[in-house]
Amino acid sequence: MDSSKKEIRYTETYPKKRRKTRFRKLAFWLLVDATVAAVVFALLLHKPGSYDPAKFGSFGNEQGQVSPYLTHELLPKIHNDAQFEKPFDVVVTQDGISEIVAELGWPKMSGGVMLSAPAVLFAPGSVVLMGTASLKGAKFVVTIVIRPEIDEQGRLNLLVAKVKIGAMNITPLAKMTAKKMYAQKLAALPDGMIDSDAWETKIAGSLLSGEPFEPVFKIDGRKLRIEQITVQNQKLTARLIPAP
């Protein structure tokens, strides 16, 4: 009798133990999933300490406003030095380029995402573009690190070295998506609609598809080529030479 009673108690409690074990495992994995989701969300919402668009956020909001740095400093410098038809250097400051970018008219819509508050930073060897992306009420800081390089043929390529949302690195996914979208957009355009000589087209092809281009432009009827680009903290120096 005693042995039979013990057997009955065993068979009754065993399923309960299994249920408890399963519940603990389920609770554990739910906790893991929740923790991972919280970490990912925190990474996405992270605001880099170097991102401070407030200094330039109000510039360019008025219709017709033009960057004084562009019209009073940068363009006159290039215009004057180009007349000597000799190589010369142009230094672009971090504050100056941020002012120019802020003047382009923000916010902008792209693929259902609102882009605003741009900022440009110069670091050794890299140009860092930063901005706020708003999607369904959530705001994320997007960071794109670009490394300008000039190859042996003298062509310029704007290599996208890193893309981040908050603190999360999404470079491979961003590159693959951008390249695919760029190819689809080009395929959808009618023949003759693309101006391959326009700098906007060349820059887009380089950034989105890794296509190098001839860095030649005209100013006052004179052709100039960018022979060298050097990026340091808070400034970019471009070596310009006369082009045939």
Side-chain angles (χ1 to χ4, degrees):
M1 293 292 291
D2 292 339
S3 62
S4 63
K5 289 181 180 179
K6 290 180 181 179
E7 182 65 27
I8 291 172
R9 282 198 298 271
Y10 173 77
T11 55
E12 287 177 346
T13 57
Y14 181 67
K16 291 181 181 179
K17 289 181 178 179
R18 290 189 63 184
R19 286 197 296 271
K20 286 182 179 179
T21 302
R22 288 178 179 176
F23 177 77
R24 287 172 181 170
K25 288 182 177 180
L26 178 61
F28 172 76
W29 286 113
L30 287 175
L31 179 61
V32 170
D33 290 344
T35 302
V36 170
V39 171
V40 170
F41 198 62
L43 289 173
L44 291 174
L45 292 177
H46 171 75
K47 181 180 177 181
S50 57
Y51 178 56
D52 183 15
K55 185 175 181 180
F56 309 102
S58 61
F59 189 89
N61 289 337
E62 298 180 10
Q63 283 287 342
Q65 191 171 10
V66 180
S67 162
Y69 177 77
L70 178 64
T71 57
H72 298 161
E73 293 186 44
L74 193 58
L75 288 179
K77 161 70 175 174
I78 298 174
H79 168 79
N80 292 335
D81 288 355
Q83 297 183 47
F84 295 102
E85 298 186 350
K86 294 180 180 180
F88 62 96
D89 291 339
V90 174
V91 177
V92 181
T93 65
Q94 179 175 289
D95 289 352
I97 194 65
S98 291
E99 181 185 286
I100 293 172
V101 170
E103 179 268 337
L104 297 177
W106 303 89
K108 297 179 181 289
M109 287 292 296
S110 178
V113 179
M114 181 75 76
L115 303 175
S116 61
V120 183
L121 287 79
F122 290 147
S126 301
V127 177
V128 183
L129 307 180
M130 307 181 79
T132 298
S134 303
L135 178 63
K136 297 182 178 179
K139 293 185 177 182
F140 309 94
V141 177
V142 179
T143 302
I144 303 174
V145 180
I146 300 170
R147 291 178 181 161
E149 294 184 1
I150 295 180
D151 61 21
E152 295 178 354
Q153 288 75 41
R155 298 176 303 174
L156 174 62
N157 203 353
L158 304 174
L159 303 173
V160 177
K162 185 181 296 183
V163 180
K164 295 196 302 181
I165 297 179
M168 180 170 287
N169 192 333
I170 61 164
T171 307
L173 177 62
K175 281 187 170 185
M176 180 178 64
T177 304
K179 190 171 184 177
K180 182 178 180 181
M181 292 178 63
Y182 180 65
Q184 290 176 344
K185 185 175 181 178
L186 290 182
L189 291 175
D191 293 340
M193 287 291 293
I194 303 173
D195 184 1
S196 58
D197 292 328
W199 266 71
E200 294 86 349
T201 304
K202 295 177 180 179
I203 291 173
S206 183
L207 290 173
L208 301 178
S209 195
E211 301 172 0
F213 61 95
E214 296 290 338
V216 177
F217 63 96
K218 278 186 178 182
I219 184 166
D220 297 333
R222 294 180 174 88
K223 284 187 177 182
L224 296 173
R225 171 184 287 275
I226 301 175
E227 183 184 45
Q228 183 179 359
I229 292 180
T230 304
V231 190
Q232 299 170 299
N233 284 325
Q234 300 192 19
K235 71 176 184 179
L236 179 150
T237 302
R239 182 72 167 172
L240 303 183
I241 61 174

